[in-house]
Amino acid sequence: MNATNLNAELNDDRPAPRAVAAVHPTHTFRLLLRREFWEHRGGFLWAPAIAGAISLLLLFLAIVFFETVVLPKLGQHAMEMGGDHFMVNGVNLSALIGKMSAEDLRQMGGAIDLSLYGAALWPYVVVAFVVFFYCLGSLYDERKDRSVLFWKSLPVSDGQTVLSKAVSATLVAPLLATAAAIVTMFGYLLVMSGFVLLHGGNPIEVLWGPGSPLTVAFHLIATVPIQALWMLPTVGWLMLCSAWARSMPFLWALLIPVIATLLLGWITLMGIVDTDSFVWVLQNISARALFSGAPGWIQTIQVGTVHGDGPAALHEVLNLATMYSVLGSAKLWIGALAGAAMIYGAVRLRRWRDDG
């Protein structure tokens, strides 16, 4: 047997090489999202969770202060409810609930739901700051520490990289903040349930029944896509500055809108531009570029006829139909398109800007 025949027999015994499947773009994008989460876990996950925990701790301390300092000074005093006068030794919630009319209970339910929105506020406040500074450093930091050279050596396009950062800012971080807000909201109910039990009340009758915690939680989740569209101008502007600035992106992102607004104000004082135009630019360009992380879309919702007033009208003003009526607002879509255009500009800048 010669060498040629021997090699042919050996090759026949070897298993045929398997074809390597191409990596699907969605798989790459999921990995990019995981990378952003791993690198910013503290801001995306722990910061809103800690903010919610601190708000619950402050609530608990306020109750302890009320029970140990304020309540002993109240003593026995008279209260009026439904035209009846009765004496209350400190706070007796059973006596209060027993004197309430159906309308009073309805108003109390609206007040409880309003307090639930307030309890859920703190994680959102914290994540707004987190997203602001995350976008500012999203493309600048990788040039600063030269890690951009490594990431560009991978088979990942600039568009996928920048888009993963934009999705992290507009969806991932708000979703995690919403989860923290809902946990905080139910923690608030548990702490207040302890307060109700302490004063002879039934938490089911006083808190959980009149209130609508599940509805409030559903509304919080439903606001995430609306807020994602609303905050695109700020995300786009900050990422554009992060991709463009060679140093101090915070100052560039802040100074350009502020100086442009001051110049326009000076021109307005000279009478060249009317005041209405100045206010429009201030509200729709300068403010949208910097502060769209706040839920300003609430001002554009279409509220129909509201029956009644007081806290009980809360769910007539803020419900799924009114919240999603903002999708008919030109202000929302023009801002979203402007934000998308600036994110595209950030993609183009990342392609050639490496500060080398």
Side-chain angles (χ1 to χ4, degrees):
M1 182 179 294
N2 56 32
T4 304
N5 293 335
L6 179 61
N7 289 334
E9 289 183 2
L10 289 175
N11 289 333
D12 290 340
D13 295 336
R14 292 176 181 173
R18 292 184 301 175
V20 178
V23 178
H24 196 273
T26 56
H27 180 67
T28 304
F29 194 73
R30 285 201 303 271
L31 290 178
L32 289 172
L33 289 179
R34 287 183 182 180
R35 169 205 164 192
E36 295 302 321
F37 175 73
W38 289 335
E39 291 186 350
H40 302 89
R41 187 198 299 261
F44 287 175
L45 179 63
W46 295 117
I50 292 173
I54 290 175
S55 69
L56 292 179
L57 177 63
L58 292 177
L59 173 66
F60 177 76
L61 293 177
I63 291 176
V64 171
F65 177 78
F66 177 79
E67 295 289 338
T68 58
V69 178
V70 178
L71 196 56
K73 295 181 180 179
L74 290 178
Q76 195 175 60
H77 59 281
M79 293 196 69
E80 180 178 356
M81 185 70 68
D84 297 329
H85 294 267
F86 59 97
M87 299 302 294
V88 173
N89 185 10
V91 177
N92 191 327
L93 293 175
S94 295
L96 287 175
I97 297 299
K99 295 294 181 180
M100 282 185 171
S101 64
E103 176 61 21
D104 292 334
L105 289 173
R106 199 171 73 89
Q107 294 291 348
M108 188 178 74
I112 291 171
D113 290 344
L114 197 60
S115 70
L116 294 181
Y117 283 112
L121 179 64
W122 293 105
Y124 289 113
V125 173
V126 170
V127 87
F129 287 97
V130 169
V131 168
F132 186 94
F133 288 102
Y134 164 76
C135 292
L136 266 180
S138 59
L139 299 172
Y140 171 75
D141 289 345
E142 64 179 12
R143 300 200 322 273
K144 183 180 178 181
D145 60 18
R146 311 296 293 168
S147 62
V148 66
L149 300 176
F150 168 74
W151 293 113
K152 282 190 173 184
S153 68
L154 300 178
V156 180
S157 67
D158 294 298
Q160 284 182 310
T161 302
V162 175
L163 193 59
S164 68
K165 295 175 184 293
V167 170
S168 297
T170 55
L171 287 176
V172 175
L175 278 173
L176 292 172
T178 300
I182 292 173
V183 172
T184 303
M185 184 189 72
F186 281 101
Y188 166 84
L189 280 174
L190 290 176
V191 173
M192 293 305 296
S193 296
F195 177 80
V196 171
L197 285 171
L198 197 61
H199 291 279
N202 185 344
I204 302 299
E205 294 179 353
V206 177
L207 286 175
W208 299 82
S212 308
L214 294 180
T215 302
V216 173
F218 176 70
H219 287 169
L220 293 179
I221 297 172
T223 60
V224 172
I226 303 173
Q227 179 64 20
L229 289 171
W230 182 261
M231 69 193 298
L232 273 177
T234 296
V235 172
W237 169 247
L238 296 177
M239 293 186 72
L240 185 67
C241 290
S242 183
W244 172 76
R246 292 189 181 277
S247 63
M248 297 182 291
F250 175 77
L251 287 181
W252 287 110
L254 193 65
L255 285 180
I256 291 176
V258 170
I259 291 177
T261 303
L262 291 177
L263 287 176
L264 185 61
W266 180 66
I267 294 173
T268 303
L269 290 176
M270 294 176 65
I272 300 175
V273 177
D274 60 90
T275 305
D276 292 339
S277 300
F278 169 72
V279 173
W280 188 91
V281 171
L282 180 64
Q283 292 179 343
N284 295 283
I285 297 181
S286 300
R288 289 300 305 279
L290 293 176
F291 305 118
S292 290
W297 54 268
I298 292 178
Q299 299 176 353
T300 65
I301 62 175
Q302 301 295 322
V303 180
T305 304
V306 178
H307 304 89
D309 54 8
L314 174 67
H315 291 300
E316 291 191 58
V317 176
L318 197 61
N319 55 54
L320 205 59
T322 58
M323 286 192 297
Y324 275 83
S325 66
V326 73
L327 296 180
S329 167
K331 188 175 182 179
L332 173 76
W333 291 110
I334 292 174
L337 289 175
M342 287 186 283
I343 290 173
Y344 177 74
V347 173
R348 302 293 298 178
L349 281 172
R350 187 182 186 270
R351 185 163 299 175
W352 59 268
R353 177 64 69 90
D354 59 7
D355 293 353

